[in-house]
Amino acid sequence: MIRTAALAHVRDRRLLQTRSAGKDVFYMAGGKIDPGETPEVALHREIREELGVGTTAVSRLGIFEAEAYGHAPGTRLHMTAFLGELTDDPTPSGEIAELRWFTLGEYRAMPHVALGSLLVFERLHELGLIDE
């Protein structure tokens, strides 16, 4: 089981996704929870590392479980997702090569999607926060 914390940052009714260098799939911004960290502490650390900015107005969106994309078959993802704002415009940092904002339909149309991210897209669409 891979335990992660992820940010659902919405702008213009689209959800921010990140693509790591050398990868072909876009994921939620965030990352693995280190031993002794709470999901919220991990979220703030990972967002600063990946996007070079802080997070504010953070609230828990939910826990999403799915098959972990890019890992051995049967590897599960346990992702705690948070709705939140950024303190400034994000900039790809560290291993992040690209940032993009997607509607649900745009993300679904990608050749490869991370199931955990797709679950968050669907939840945000159900809540009326992002477009189809």
Side-chain angles (χ1 to χ4, degrees):
M1 177 81 64
I2 299 171
R3 296 187 182 280
T4 65
L7 177 68
H9 176 65
V10 177
R11 183 179 81 182
D12 299 325
R13 300 187 55 78
R14 286 178 153 75
L15 179 60
L16 175 65
Q17 295 285 282
T18 63
R19 184 182 60 76
S20 296
K23 305 280 176 139
D24 60 356
V25 68
F26 283 84
Y27 295 94
M28 303 287 299
K32 291 182 183 171
I33 300 170
D34 288 341
E37 278 186 323
T38 65
E40 191 165 348
V41 167
L43 174 78
H44 291 288
R45 175 183 53 76
E46 287 285 349
I47 296 306
R48 182 141 319 269
E49 289 173 5
E50 291 184 356
L51 305 180
V53 296
T55 54
T56 63
V58 173
S59 63
R60 187 178 283 217
L61 179 62
I63 294 175
F64 299 84
E65 293 189 349
E67 184 91 8
Y69 183 88
H71 292 271
T75 304
R76 300 291 295 169
L77 170 71
H78 180 277
M79 178 173 61
T80 305
F82 295 88
L83 280 169
E85 297 300 321
L86 299 174
T87 58
D88 205 347
D89 289 332
T91 305
S93 302
E95 78 256 17
I96 302 303
E98 183 180 2
L99 306 176
R100 279 181 60 188
W101 280 261
F102 293 89
T103 65
L104 172 58
E106 290 166 344
Y107 191 71
R108 277 188 183 143
M110 294 296 290
H112 304 283
V113 298
L115 294 178
S117 287
L118 185 56
L119 291 173
V120 174
F121 271 95
E122 290 170 348
R123 174 73 55 82
L124 292 171
H125 183 260
E126 289 169 5
L127 294 172
L129 298 175
I130 63 169
D131 289 334
E132 171 68 38

Short mmCIF file of all heavy atoms in Angstrom, two decimals, residues 13 123-131:
data_model
loop_
_atom_site.label_atom_id
_atom_site.label_comp_id
_atom_site.label_asym_id
_atom_site.label_seq_id
_atom_site.Cartn_x
_atom_site.Cartn_y
_atom_site.Cartn_z
N ARG A 13 -12.36 26.24 -12.95
CA ARG A 13 -13.14 24.99 -13.03
C ARG A 13 -12.36 23.84 -13.65
O ARG A 13 -12.90 22.93 -14.24
CB ARG A 13 -14.47 25.23 -13.73
CG ARG A 13 -15.33 26.27 -12.99
CD ARG A 13 -16.71 26.45 -13.52
NE ARG A 13 -17.48 25.22 -13.60
CZ ARG A 13 -18.08 24.61 -12.57
NH1 ARG A 13 -18.01 25.11 -11.36
NH2 ARG A 13 -18.78 23.52 -12.77
N ARG A 123 -15.13 13.10 -8.18
CA ARG A 123 -15.71 13.68 -6.95
C ARG A 123 -15.89 15.19 -7.11
O ARG A 123 -16.94 15.74 -6.77
CB ARG A 123 -14.81 13.39 -5.76
CG ARG A 123 -15.24 14.06 -4.45
CD ARG A 123 -16.48 13.46 -3.78
NE ARG A 123 -16.36 12.05 -3.54
CZ ARG A 123 -15.74 11.47 -2.51
NH1 ARG A 123 -15.16 12.21 -1.59
NH2 ARG A 123 -15.70 10.17 -2.41
N LEU A 124 -14.89 15.87 -7.63
CA LEU A 124 -14.98 17.32 -7.82
C LEU A 124 -16.08 17.69 -8.82
O LEU A 124 -16.78 18.69 -8.64
CB LEU A 124 -13.64 17.90 -8.27
CG LEU A 124 -12.52 17.83 -7.23
CD1 LEU A 124 -11.20 18.23 -7.85
CD2 LEU A 124 -12.85 18.69 -6.02
N HIS A 125 -16.25 16.86 -9.84
CA HIS A 125 -17.33 17.11 -10.80
C HIS A 125 -18.69 16.91 -10.13
O HIS A 125 -19.61 17.72 -10.31
CB HIS A 125 -17.18 16.18 -12.03
CG HIS A 125 -18.21 16.44 -13.06
ND1 HIS A 125 -19.32 15.67 -13.21
CD2 HIS A 125 -18.30 17.43 -13.98
CE1 HIS A 125 -20.06 16.14 -14.18
NE2 HIS A 125 -19.47 17.21 -14.68
N GLU A 126 -18.83 15.86 -9.33
CA GLU A 126 -20.08 15.62 -8.58
C GLU A 126 -20.40 16.81 -7.67
O GLU A 126 -21.57 17.16 -7.49
CB GLU A 126 -19.96 14.36 -7.71
CG GLU A 126 -19.95 13.06 -8.48
CD GLU A 126 -19.57 11.87 -7.61
OE1 GLU A 126 -19.39 12.03 -6.37
OE2 GLU A 126 -19.43 10.76 -8.17
N LEU A 127 -19.38 17.43 -7.09
CA LEU A 127 -19.56 18.57 -6.21
C LEU A 127 -19.78 19.88 -6.97
O LEU A 127 -20.00 20.93 -6.35
CB LEU A 127 -18.35 18.72 -5.29
CG LEU A 127 -18.14 17.59 -4.28
CD1 LEU A 127 -16.79 17.75 -3.57
CD2 LEU A 127 -19.27 17.54 -3.28
N GLY A 128 -19.71 19.83 -8.30
CA GLY A 128 -19.92 21.01 -9.11
C GLY A 128 -18.74 21.96 -9.14
O GLY A 128 -18.90 23.14 -9.46
N LEU A 129 -17.53 21.48 -8.81
CA LEU A 129 -16.36 22.35 -8.73
C LEU A 129 -15.54 22.39 -10.00
O LEU A 129 -14.78 23.33 -10.22
CB LEU A 129 -15.47 21.92 -7.56
CG LEU A 129 -16.13 22.02 -6.18
CD1 LEU A 129 -15.22 21.45 -5.11
CD2 LEU A 129 -16.50 23.46 -5.87
N ILE A 130 -15.66 21.35 -10.85
CA ILE A 130 -14.94 21.35 -12.12
C ILE A 130 -15.92 20.99 -13.24
O ILE A 130 -16.97 20.41 -13.00
CB ILE A 130 -13.73 20.39 -12.15
CG1 ILE A 130 -14.18 18.94 -11.95
CG2 ILE A 130 -12.68 20.78 -11.13
CD1 ILE A 130 -13.08 17.92 -12.23
N ASP A 131 -15.53 21.34 -14.45
CA ASP A 131 -16.37 21.07 -15.62
C ASP A 131 -16.16 19.66 -16.14
O ASP A 131 -15.12 19.05 -15.89
CB ASP A 131 -16.05 22.07 -16.74
CG ASP A 131 -16.54 23.48 -16.43
OD1 ASP A 131 -17.50 23.62 -15.64
OD2 ASP A 131 -15.94 24.43 -16.95
#
